[in-house]
Each structure stands twice: as C-alpha cells, then as structure tokens.
C-alpha cells in the first residue's frame, strides 16, 4: 500500500503540488486525472524520488520513502514507468527488461525468479517477445512505451506508477495498453495510473482522484467519478 499525505513539491522556488493526499491500496488500480499542467507527472516524480518533496509524507507499506534516492525507492519495490518512452536505446529489449529487475537483486526483498518473470513479461507483451534481441532505440514509439511498462513490471513491484502509458499511440495500441493494464490488475498488480484518456482510465480503475492546479479537487470510486456531471464535463468529453 502506498500512502501520500499532504505532499508539496515543485521545481526550484515554484511549488506545483500544494498538499495532495492519495492512497493506493494493495491490489487496486488508482487513477489520477487532470488537465495539462495540473501536476500529474510531478506527483509521479515526487513519489519515485526523481524530485524531492518539500513537505509531506510518502509511505510504502508503512515505511517512509519521501526524499530517498530513486534507486533506494525502487529497491523497496516501487516501479516507475515514466512519461515519454525512456528506454535504454543501445541495449536490447531483453536487457532493458533485465535492468528493470536489477534493484530487486540488491535490496532486501525476495529476489524471486528473474528468468521466469522475463518469460512472463514476454507473454504479456507479445510485441516485445518478437523483438527480444532488437535494440530498444530501433523500436517504434508504441513498442518503446510498452517496453517501459514491461520494465517496470520486471521489478515485481509492490506498486507501479504508470505515467501516460498510452501517450502518442495509435488507437489500436491504446486499446492493447489498456488490455495489458487490465491483465496486470487481474494478476493483483497495484497501480497508480496517470492517463489522458480519463474514461478508459476510470473504466479500469477502482478509485480516482482529480488533480486541479496542484490540489485534489474531487476523489471517489471510479464509477462515481464517471457519473459526476462536473467530471464528465471537464474530463470525459461533456454530457
Ligand atoms: P501534462 O499532462 O501536460 O504532462 P501534468 O499534469 O503531468 O501535465 P506536470 O508535468 O506535472 O503536469 O507539470 C506541472 C507544472 O510543473 C507545469 O506548470 C510545468 O510547467 C511545471 N514543470 C514540469 N516540469 C518542470 C521542470 N522540470 N522545471 C520547471 N517546471 C516544470
């Protein structure tokens, strides 16, 4: 379980998040929706340690992780699939995936079966299986996005942060990405999902939060947010 309490964070002197609180219970999919610039990516970065929070608390299974270095946060089981296809371009698909498992080999969590997990990741992402020896930099944008997701899953994580996994993808790949998120959910993977496709995100999620100008304006069960007239008008294309 991931708990974020009264989180403040930003860049230099500019505060972007003004005290947000989010709970990601074990086994659930929680979605964070909001307009461009609301602070969704900043939230993900603060959780995974890419930027240091200026105040507030972040706990993973009760242990404080706020302010730790990203690698130490990953070692405790928090995986981040960042916005915008950040893969290791000059390494093969398989090696990118193995790197995703690396923090668990050095931490105190069970190391598990990395070779088996690699095969399971390939089954979940068949496009990657066909390209396992190909250099990641030569994959299409959509394939790179899937590789970033699969690499996060290779941590065998307590929680996965998925930042806009569908960004820039052709509609058929968007559908595939959401199917994979659904399958991960069935396998019990805990996720915090940031998505521009709010309707699809609310369809797969258990619970949602709406972020507006660095503050949570509404939160509730995903089905309730889908029916909320204000949420519909602002994020679900009206109606
Ligand atoms: P989008 O959907 O457009 O990615 P977002 O909700 O993820 O939006 P953030 O990327 O978190 O929004 O950005 C929130 C604010 O922080 C914006 O005003 C943005 O300009 C600012 N910001 C983001 N990254 C940086 C940075 N590296 N340095 C300074 N300001 C930044």
């Amino acid at each position: 379980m991931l708990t974020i309490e009264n989180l403040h964070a930003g860049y230099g002197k500019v505060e972007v998040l003004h005290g947000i609180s989010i709970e990601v219970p074990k086994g659930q999919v929680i979605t964070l929706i909001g307009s461009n610039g609301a602070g969704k990516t900043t939230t993900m970065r603060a959780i995974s340690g890419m930027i240091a929070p200026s105040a507030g608390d972040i706990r993973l299974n009760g242990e404080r992780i706020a302010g730790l270095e990203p690698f130490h946060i990953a070692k405790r089981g928090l995986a981040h699939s960042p916005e915008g296809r950040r893969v290791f371009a000059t390494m093969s698909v398989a090696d990118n995936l193995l790197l995703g498992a690396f923090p668990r080999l050095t931490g105190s969590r069970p190391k598990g079966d990395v070779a088996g997990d690699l095969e399971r990741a390939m089954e979940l992402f068949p496009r990657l299986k066909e390209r396992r020896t190909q250099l990641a930099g030569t994959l299409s944008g959509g394939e790179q996005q899937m590789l970033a997701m699969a690499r996060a899953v290779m941590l065998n994580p307590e929680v996965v942060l998925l930042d806009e996994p569908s960004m820039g993808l052709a509609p058929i790949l968007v559908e595939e990405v959401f199917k994979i998120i659904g399958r991960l959910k069935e396998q019990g993977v805990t996720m915090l999902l940031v998505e521009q496709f709010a309707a699809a995100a609310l369809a797969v999620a258990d619970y949602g939060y709406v972020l507006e100008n660095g503050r949570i304006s509404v939160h509730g069960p995903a089905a309730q947010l889908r029916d909320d007239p204000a949420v519909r008008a602002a994020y679900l294309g009206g109606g």
Side-chain angles (χ1 to χ4, degrees):
M1 157 122 175
L2 175 71
T3 315
I4 296 137
E5 231 181 84
N6 194 28
L7 175 68
H8 292 251
Y11 305 93
K13 288 193 178 126
V14 181
E15 187 175 273
V16 173
L17 303 176
H18 311 294
I20 66 168
S21 298
I22 296 175
E23 276 195 6
V24 186
K26 194 171 170 57
Q28 293 199 14
V29 179
I30 306 302
T31 188
L32 181 61
I33 59 183
S35 357
N36 288 341
K40 304 179 298 296
T41 294
T42 303
T43 304
M44 301 300 228
R45 288 187 183 142
I47 297 170
S48 69
M50 290 167 71
I51 60 170
S54 48
D57 204 7
I58 308 174
R59 288 180 186 269
L60 185 59
N61 297 333
E63 269 187 74
R64 185 154 211 257
I65 57 167
L68 296 182
E69 293 293 323
F71 186 65
H72 292 286
I73 295 178
K75 274 200 328 199
R76 284 161 200 239
L78 188 126
H80 184 178
S81 173
E83 190 180 52
R85 307 161 187 182
R86 302 271 164 79
V87 296
F88 298 101
T90 58
M91 294 172 69
S92 71
V93 165
D95 285 346
N96 266 272
L97 292 174
L98 289 171
L99 259 187
F102 179 68
R104 80 193 218 205
L105 300 179
T106 65
S108 56
R109 300 170 64 230
K111 293 178 181 38
D113 171 17
V114 174
D117 287 345
L118 180 62
E119 294 318 311
R120 283 185 279 278
M122 297 288 184
E123 294 309 318
L124 191 59
F125 296 87
R127 278 167 196 274
L128 299 180
K129 186 176 187 178
E130 292 160 21
R131 297 168 176 84
R132 70 189 287 158
T133 58
Q134 194 174 323
L135 294 184
T138 65
L139 296 175
S140 75
E143 291 158 0
Q144 290 188 29
Q145 199 93 329
M146 290 197 190
L147 180 56
M149 265 177 87
R151 188 181 57 194
V153 171
M154 282 296 291
L155 187 64
N156 198 7
E158 301 289 328
V159 179
V160 191
L161 310 181
L162 294 177
D163 195 350
E164 304 242 8
S166 72
M167 191 195 254
L169 302 191
I172 186 151
L173 286 184
V174 173
E175 216 174 283
E176 196 171 324
V177 160
F178 275 100
K179 268 193 201 140
I180 291 170
I181 293 172
R183 251 177 250 141
L184 289 171
K185 183 182 177 178
E186 282 164 22
Q187 293 172 11
V189 178
T190 310
M191 289 174 265
L192 177 59
L193 170 67
V194 161
E195 254 300 327
Q196 55 181 332
F197 292 110
L202 286 170
V204 75
D206 297 288
Y207 198 91
Y209 291 81
V210 177
L211 188 62
E212 268 179 45
N213 299 319
R215 291 189 173 83
I216 301 293
S217 57
V218 194
H219 61 100
Q224 192 177 309
L225 289 186
R226 278 205 307 267
D227 293 338
D228 181 312
V231 172
R232 293 183 73 84
Y235 304 105
L236 303 177

